[in-house]
Amino acid sequence: MKSKLISLNESNHFGLVAFLDCEYTCWENSERTSWVDPKYPQELIQFGLANLDVRGNGYIEKYSRYVCPRINPVLSGYCKDLLGITQDTIDSAEDFCTVAGEIFELL
């Protein structure tokens, strides 16, 4: 399947548009190292999805879940400050496989 970037004005040619938003673990040096440090890989910690009915019914479905990272389950202070996510939120989050299953069912 080939993807194509379209403007929001062009989106009225479609019935539904899905918006995705993901947040990942990060450290103060992540940007400088381009997230390639094997001890600190980029791991999903939040996944959001919103389906918009372009023809006027607004958002018809919204989904947001936190994900507990597997390799580094303790967030850096930098990450917590940047994203406004608490460690308690991550500690009580589901693992990626559970969240991926929910997303699959939703789609």
Side-chain angles (χ1 to χ4, degrees):
M1 173 184 229
K2 186 176 180 182
S3 64
K4 176 187 173 194
L5 184 63
I6 63 167
S7 71
L8 199 50
N9 290 335
E10 293 174 301
S11 67
N12 62 358
H13 298 291
F14 302 93
L16 296 174
V17 175
F19 295 92
L20 302 175
D21 180 39
C22 298
E23 301 296 345
Y24 298 89
T25 55
C26 54
W27 292 266
E28 203 162 311
N29 68 344
S30 294
E31 193 171 346
R32 183 175 46 80
T33 63
S34 299
W35 285 271
V36 296
D37 187 335
K39 290 190 274 185
Y40 302 103
Q42 207 174 16
E43 294 180 84
L44 185 69
I45 54 175
Q46 186 178 18
F47 181 88
L49 170 70
N51 289 323
L52 174 68
D53 181 343
V54 179
R55 297 193 175 111
N57 294 328
Y59 289 101
I60 57 171
E61 191 151 25
K62 295 179 184 178
Y63 172 89
S64 179
R65 291 289 184 272
Y66 290 100
V67 180
C68 187
R70 183 180 301 190
I71 297 170
N72 292 300
V74 177
L75 298 181
S76 68
Y78 174 79
C79 190
K80 291 185 281 190
D81 291 343
L82 179 68
L83 301 176
I85 298 174
T86 67
Q87 187 63 50
D88 287 341
T89 298
I90 294 302
D91 290 343
S92 62
E94 299 289 348
D95 65 8
F96 177 77
C97 290
T98 301
V99 174
E102 289 178 5
I103 296 165
F104 180 77
E105 290 297 319
L106 183 68
L107 296 175

